[in-house]
């Protein structure tokens, strides 16, 4: 019975991308669907605190600051947390850019964000977190302000790749296209909460202050995500607010990144399970769907387990093996179609 139940759960995980893509093509054909669904509720222009966390590397800070200087929206201050960095070469004339350097090395993104919040020159309405190697589109904050004016209190913005010139960078980008669609875009279209990233997440300051971290280890976004989703009606995805990210360009870095993701999955499994159970208790489909999907093992484990089920059933029930073959075919087809049709950058299908 347990084996049958586990097979059913695995099959659902692999079929979700196909059905999300199907619903996307059936229900959403026009641009701006999400914004049409959520009317403006405030004319207030929000004050943003852009927190840039830099650790032992300031190479990409100047171009990031330059991208902020080109913003079409003016209500913001950039806080560059230079953790364990030599800032002697960082000189900016813009009074909206502030370099803050902790006296003692922090060596943790969570601590860097907290340090920046403690150094605010005024109480900003919204915090937006960035990595030091990011770039922002000129209309980034303007589009983000539009979402907060529509009543959202937490918004994940749209991350695109700065570089796709190597095989590893392209592989990293392809994986992100897939995850962006099933974890953010499709959910936003359906009125469900989106998953967040470790960068480009915008959240009202008063909401962020309520998040309590038990440690400063990796996965700050997972803890933040669990708190936000259980506290607000919907965590939004702003497709128009674009932030560019430097993708990994070698195998060692890619392996390290994936290992860190696997670690955070198991570390925050109890939080995600609690979120799932809370959704059931409250009869809240948004929380149930969100919790169920965050409980999904990393993709290579999910697909690998499905292949194992297919092989086992060859000896137990060949008919079930055919079903598994169909499920895997639908998943592979959906993956390819998502990458080909939902990419906002050229060359991802090659």
């Amino acid at each position: 019975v347990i084996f049958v139940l586990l097979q059913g759960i695995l099959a659902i995980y692999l079929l979700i991308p196909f059905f999300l893509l199907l619903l996307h093509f059936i229900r959403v054909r026009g641009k701006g669907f999400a914004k049409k669904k959520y009317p403006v509720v405030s004319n207030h222009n929000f004050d943003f605190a852009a927190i840039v966390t830099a650790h032992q590397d300031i190479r990409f800070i100047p171009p990031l600051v330059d991208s902020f200087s080109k913003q079409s929206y003016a209500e913001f201050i950039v806080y560059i947390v230079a953790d364990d960095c030599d800032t002697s070469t960082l000189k900016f004339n813009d009074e909206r850019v502030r370099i803050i350097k902790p006296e003692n090395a922090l060596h943790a993104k969570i601590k860097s964000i907290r340090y920046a919040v403690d150094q605010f020159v005024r109480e900003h309405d919204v915090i937006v977190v960035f990595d030091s190697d990011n770039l922002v589109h000129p209309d980034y904050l303007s589009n983000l302000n539009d979402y907060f004016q529509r009543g959202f209190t937490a918004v994940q913005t749209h991350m695109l790749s700065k570089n796709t010139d190597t095989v590893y960078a392209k592989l990293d980008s392809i994986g992100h296209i897939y995850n962006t669609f099933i974890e953010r875009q499709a959910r936003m279209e359906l009125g469900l909460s989106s998953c967040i990233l470790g960068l480009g997440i915008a959240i009202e300051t008063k909401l962020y202050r309520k998040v309590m971290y038990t440690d400063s280890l990796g996965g700050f976004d997972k803890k933040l995500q669990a708190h936000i989703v259980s506290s607000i009606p919907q965590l939004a995805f702003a497709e128009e607010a674009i932030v560019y990210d430097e993708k990994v360009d070698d195998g060692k870095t890619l392996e390290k990144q994936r290992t860190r993701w696997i670690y955070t999955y198991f570390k925050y499994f109890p939080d995600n399970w609690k979120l799932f159970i809370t959704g059931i208790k409250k009869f809240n489909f948004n929380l149930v769907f969100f919790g169920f999907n965050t409980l999904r093992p990393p993709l290579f484990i999910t697909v690998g387990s499905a292949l194992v089920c297919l092989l086992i059933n060859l000896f137990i029930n060949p008919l079930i093996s055919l079903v598994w073959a169909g499920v895997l075919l639908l998943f592979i087809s959906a993956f390819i179609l998502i990458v080909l049709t939902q990419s906002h950058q050229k060359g991802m299908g090659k």
Side-chain angles (χ1 to χ4, degrees), residues 71-298:
Q71 286 297 298
S72 59
Y73 187 85
E75 295 296 319
F76 70 91
I77 289 182
V78 180
Y79 296 88
I80 301 171
V81 185
D83 179 30
D84 199 13
C85 298
D86 178 8
T87 59
S88 59
T89 59
L90 289 180
K91 305 293 181 182
F92 304 108
N93 297 322
D94 194 334
E95 61 181 12
R96 296 173 300 180
V97 179
R98 296 177 176 269
I99 301 172
I100 51 178
K101 184 175 180 179
E103 293 183 4
N104 300 312
L106 301 176
H107 301 302
K109 190 169 186 175
I110 294 171
K111 291 182 179 179
S112 291
I113 297 172
R114 186 185 303 131
Y115 186 81
V117 173
D118 291 339
Q119 300 295 317
F120 280 176
V121 297
R122 60 178 184 258
E123 187 63 13
H124 299 278
D125 297 318
V126 178
I127 293 171
V128 194
V129 179
F130 298 96
D131 289 340
S132 62
D133 58 1
N134 295 156
L135 292 173
V136 287
H137 188 278
D139 293 327
Y140 180 85
L141 291 177
S142 177
N143 284 320
L144 195 52
N145 182 62
D146 184 52
Y147 275 79
F148 279 92
Q149 288 182 331
R150 293 174 190 275
F152 294 110
T153 55
V155 182
Q156 173 60 53
T157 55
H158 192 177
M159 188 184 85
L160 296 181
S161 303
K162 282 169 61 178
N163 57 310
T164 57
D165 51 340
T166 67
V167 173
Y168 290 108
K170 188 169 289 189
L171 286 173
D172 194 13
S173 299
I174 287 173
H176 182 71
I177 292 167
Y178 170 79
N179 288 322
T180 293
F181 178 77
I182 66 168
E183 295 180 354
R184 299 173 191 92
Q185 181 183 340
R187 296 188 193 182
M188 184 66 181
E189 293 168 355
L190 295 172
L192 301 173
S193 285
S194 304
C195 290
I196 72 170
L197 296 164
L199 62 95
I201 173 65
I203 175 173
E204 284 193 349
T205 305
K206 60 184 178 182
L207 182 59
Y208 183 82
R209 291 185 185 277
K210 295 178 182 178
V211 182
M212 298 298 293
Y213 292 99
T214 56
D215 58 59
S216 300
L217 300 177
F220 96 95
D221 52 325
K222 304 303 180 186
K223 176 70 174 180
L224 180 62
Q225 175 176 269
H227 177 84
I228 295 174
V229 171
S230 60
S231 303
I232 63 177
Q234 184 182 0
L235 198 166
F237 172 63
E239 185 177 352
E240 303 90 342
I242 298 173
V243 54
Y244 297 93
D245 180 55
E246 188 83 15
K247 309 312 292 182
V248 299
D249 56 5
D250 63 85
K252 187 176 180 180
T253 305
L254 187 66
E255 181 182 359
K256 183 179 179 181
Q257 181 191 72
R258 271 24 182 198
T259 301
R260 185 172 68 249
W261 289 356
I262 293 171
Y263 166 75
T264 57
Y265 166 78
F266 288 105
K267 177 183 177 180
Y268 290 102
F269 187 91
D271 293 291
N272 295 328
W273 175 255
K274 182 179 178 181
L275 196 64
F276 176 66
I277 297 300
T278 300
I280 293 176
K281 290 180 179 179
K282 292 184 176 180
F283 298 99
N284 187 321
F285 178 76
N286 182 40
L287 285 182
V288 171
F289 186 80
F290 193 97
F292 179 76
N293 280 278
T294 52
L295 289 171
R296 190 209 75 194

Side-chain angles (χ1 to χ4, degrees), residues 50-64:
I51 299 176
V52 180
T53 58
H55 180 248
Q56 298 181 336
D57 189 358
I58 61 169
R59 290 174 298 159
F60 300 103
I61 294 295
L64 174 57

